[in-house]
């Protein structure tokens, strides 16, 4: 579009997203890669939580979690999800909607291996989203897992990644007098050409 310039310029929304994230990494004090991930359960009841985005690929966004968690159950049954990434320091946000697929192979192994040892052991110890009797019992489970797994634990079979392949990406930037700038990239499938529209604030 003729008026899509400056921070909105580009022919690839994933490149724009990477550029915005790179700027946020210099400005945000904590977790510039945090996203508010939204899912729905089998009754259609929505759910949201913060997770950390770990990669912006050529055609997708990737994060990792416990496959036995509530979010994973909702992702698996719906096959779709949405997230918003908001940077208060930049007064910008990115909204994404799309289809889900698991990343349960070498890429997940490599990311798991890059985490701190305590985080890797914590992934083994936590039955994410399940009731917990006390923090002491969790600490005891971490100790048990540490003795069992040692200092080089393999990735748990119940832990890995999800990839969101978007059909819609919206870039939003704060504007004076709440006249914000919004550009929506939309496509029907991954093979389709992106359609770009400026939206009213």
């Amino acid at each position: 579009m003729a008026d899509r310039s400056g921070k909105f310029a580009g022919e690839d929304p994933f490149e724009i997203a990477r550029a915005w994230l790179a700027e946020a990494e210099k400005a945000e004090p904590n977790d510039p890669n945090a996203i508010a991930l939204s899912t729905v359960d089998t009754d259609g009841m929505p759910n949201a939580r913060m997770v950390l985005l770990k990669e912006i690929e050529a055609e997708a966004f990737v994060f990792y979690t416990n496959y036995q968690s509530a979010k994973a159950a909702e992702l698996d049954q719906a096959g779709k999800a949405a997230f918003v990434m908001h940077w208060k320091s930049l007064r910008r946000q990115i909204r994404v909607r799309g289809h889900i697929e698991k990343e349960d192979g070498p890429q997940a192994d490599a990311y798991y291996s890059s985490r701190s040892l305590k985080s890797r052991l914590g992934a083994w110890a936590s039955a994410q989203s399940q009731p917990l009797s006390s923090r002491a019992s969790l600490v005891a489970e971490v100790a048990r897992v540490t003795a069992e797994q040692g200092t080089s634990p393999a990735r748990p079979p119940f832990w890995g990644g999800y990839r969101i392949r978007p059909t819609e990406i919206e870039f939003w930037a704060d504007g004076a007098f709440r006249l914000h700038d919004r550009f929506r990239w939309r496509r029907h499938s991954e093979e389709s050409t992106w359609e770009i529209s400026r939206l009213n604030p």
Side-chain angles (χ1 to χ4, degrees), residues 142-189:
V142 171
R144 186 193 70 76
V145 163
T146 300
E148 180 182 273
Q149 296 293 328
T151 57
S152 185
R155 179 171 62 90
F158 53 81
W159 190 98
Y162 281 99
R163 181 177 284 108
I164 300 181
R165 296 192 174 276
T167 54
E168 188 173 311
I169 304 174
E170 182 189 314
F171 297 92
W172 178 101
D174 184 60
F177 309 109
R178 304 202 65 76
L179 299 179
H180 312 306
D181 289 307
R182 297 173 63 188
F183 288 93
R184 181 181 63 202
W185 297 61
R186 180 183 278 176
R187 62 184 177 181
H188 299 292
S189 69

Side-chain angles (χ1 to χ4, degrees), residues 93-180:
Q93 67 181 24
I94 300 175
R95 296 174 59 224
V96 172
R97 301 169 72 200
H99 299 279
I100 289 290
E101 67 179 34
K102 277 185 175 177
E103 173 45 64
D104 197 25
Q107 188 171 326
D109 292 337
Y111 171 65
Y112 180 80
S113 295
S114 75
R115 304 176 87 211
S116 72
L117 176 59
K118 288 184 178 180
S119 293
R120 283 179 280 156
L121 292 168
W124 274 101
S126 174
Q128 196 173 92
S129 302
Q130 301 306 309
L132 178 65
S133 61
S134 68
R135 183 162 188 87
S137 66
L138 178 59
V139 171
E141 182 61 13
V142 171
R144 186 193 70 76
V145 163
T146 300
E148 180 182 273
Q149 296 293 328
T151 57
S152 185
R155 179 171 62 90
F158 53 81
W159 190 98
Y162 281 99
R163 181 177 284 108
I164 300 181
R165 296 192 174 276
T167 54
E168 188 173 311
I169 304 174
E170 182 189 314
F171 297 92
W172 178 101
D174 184 60
F177 309 109
R178 304 202 65 76
L179 299 179
H180 312 306

